[in-house]
Amino acid sequence: MNVLSQLIVSGIAVGMIYGVIAFSYQLTFATSKTLNFGQGEALMLGALVGLTTINFLIGQALGTLWAYLLMLPIVFAFGLAQGAVVEWLGVRQAVKAKSEAGWIMATIALGIIFRNLAENIWGRDALRFPSPLPEAALTIGPVRIQPMEIAIVLGALAIMLAVEIFNRRSIFGKAVVATANDRDAAGLMGIDTRRVITFSYALSSMTAAFAGVLIAPVTLTGATMGAVLGLKAFAVAIIGGLSSGMGVIVGGLILGITETLTGYYISTGYKDVPGLVLLLLVLSLKPSGLFGRATIKKV
């Protein structure tokens, strides 16, 4: 039971990372019905920009915790800019022309370009990201947990809650919600839906970049770190439902815990299989996701 509790705790931390990236998929899908298939690269770039920034600040005789906190606004700003660039270069014209294949291929191509840029700037080797919290594990009952794992769970919940509060309380956030509900009606009411879509992409990449600096201290940072995470988060978004905020959290937890249990009790070589099997089952039985709402298109 002690081992099982330990595995579940570790799975929750991993699952929350999947959940916050899946949440960033939701942000763009809600407003434009498009997805950024280079979202893993947004996470990777956020982690690498954060690594460069925190190393520079530590070099200025700042403590690691303060350097980490001061690094966050820079990563947020970078994520916003990177997402806006993706929408401008890869999505806008495709949405205007109503070309589904256009934005899919454009976001994939931009993801590959960003990965190549990262390899040329930071190299191909994995890099260590300084942890802002002590690395000694805390003992809570039968479970040993690293402080950074707690920070991952709290940080992921905090960023998702902050985005939801922004969308519901601010004027621009209400424009985002209106566009998500009915883009044509929002445009007729005077809302600049093109700007709203750009903002949703910026907010989406900012969320992914934040996920990057959350997970970086407990793993290695490099140009390829986002590929698998982005793919698994997409699976979580499909499993939970692209229209459900609660769905991505539950889907992320299911996938994270399932992976850790499979890796320990069966083999690490099979840890990705249960999540993919669940994805296939959901697509077959409930294509809108476990918590998603099926929509009816009028023709």
Side-chain angles (χ1 to χ4, degrees):
M1 289 301 296
N2 290 350
V3 172
L4 179 62
S5 300
Q6 185 70 56
L7 292 172
I8 290 175
V9 169
S10 299
I12 288 173
V14 174
M16 288 307 298
I17 288 296
Y18 295 156
V20 75
I21 307 171
F23 179 75
S24 68
Y25 279 116
Q26 278 191 345
L27 295 174
T28 60
F29 184 79
T31 57
S32 62
K33 298 299 181 285
T34 63
L35 299 168
N36 179 10
F37 285 103
Q39 200 72 325
E41 280 63 42
L43 176 145
M44 173 268 296
L45 288 173
L48 289 173
V49 169
L51 175 63
T52 300
T53 305
I54 196 172
N55 283 338
F56 171 79
L57 293 173
I58 290 174
Q60 304 302 309
L62 280 177
T64 306
L65 177 59
W66 280 107
Y68 188 89
L69 295 176
L70 292 174
M71 168 269 296
L72 290 178
I74 297 173
V75 170
F76 287 157
F78 175 82
L80 289 170
Q82 191 261 349
V85 168
V86 170
E87 192 279 333
W88 180 56
L89 292 178
V91 179
R92 181 173 300 182
Q93 294 304 317
V95 170
K96 186 177 180 180
K98 297 183 179 180
S99 169
E100 291 190 3
W103 60 262
I104 292 174
M105 295 309 300
T107 55
I108 292 174
L110 284 171
I112 295 172
I113 291 171
F114 287 136
R115 192 184 312 162
N116 288 338
L117 284 173
E119 288 177 349
N120 282 281
I121 295 172
W122 285 279
R124 295 173 179 266
D125 296 332
L127 305 170
R128 184 179 180 277
F129 196 105
S131 177
L133 299 176
E135 297 185 3
L138 302 175
T139 301
I140 304 175
V143 176
R144 290 173 61 82
I145 182 170
Q146 292 183 349
M148 200 61 212
E149 290 180 324
I150 299 175
I152 287 173
V153 175
L154 296 179
L157 291 173
I159 191 67
M160 290 189 281
L161 181 61
V163 171
E164 286 295 325
I165 292 175
F166 173 83
N167 285 340
R168 297 180 184 279
R169 298 295 178 89
S170 68
I171 295 297
F172 201 86
K174 291 178 180 178
V176 172
V177 174
T179 303
N181 288 333
D182 192 323
R183 194 197 317 170
D184 294 332
L188 292 173
M189 294 299 293
I191 295 174
D192 188 344
T193 56
R194 187 175 66 179
R195 183 179 297 179
V196 169
I197 292 172
T198 302
F199 178 75
S200 70
Y201 264 82
L203 196 61
S204 172
S205 290
M206 184 201 77
T207 304
F210 178 65
V213 295
L214 273 181
I215 196 173
V218 297
T219 185
L220 294 175
T221 307
T224 60
M225 67 178 292
V228 175
L229 288 171
L231 182 61
K232 290 182 178 180
F234 178 68
V236 166
I238 299 301
I239 292 170
L242 279 166
S243 60
S244 172
M246 179 61 68
V248 297
I249 296 176
V250 175
L253 294 177
I254 290 173
L255 185 58
I257 293 172
T258 301
E259 280 188 357
T260 56
L261 293 177
T262 303
Y264 182 82
Y265 288 110
I266 301 177
S267 170
T268 55
Y270 291 100
K271 71 173 186 176
D272 297 330
V273 173
L276 296 176
V277 171
L278 179 59
L279 173 62
L280 293 174
L281 288 175
V282 170
L283 288 174
S284 300
L285 302 176
K286 198 174 187 299
S288 59
L290 297 176
F291 294 85
R293 298 185 299 272
T295 58
I296 300 175
K297 291 185 178 180
K298 296 181 180 179
V299 295

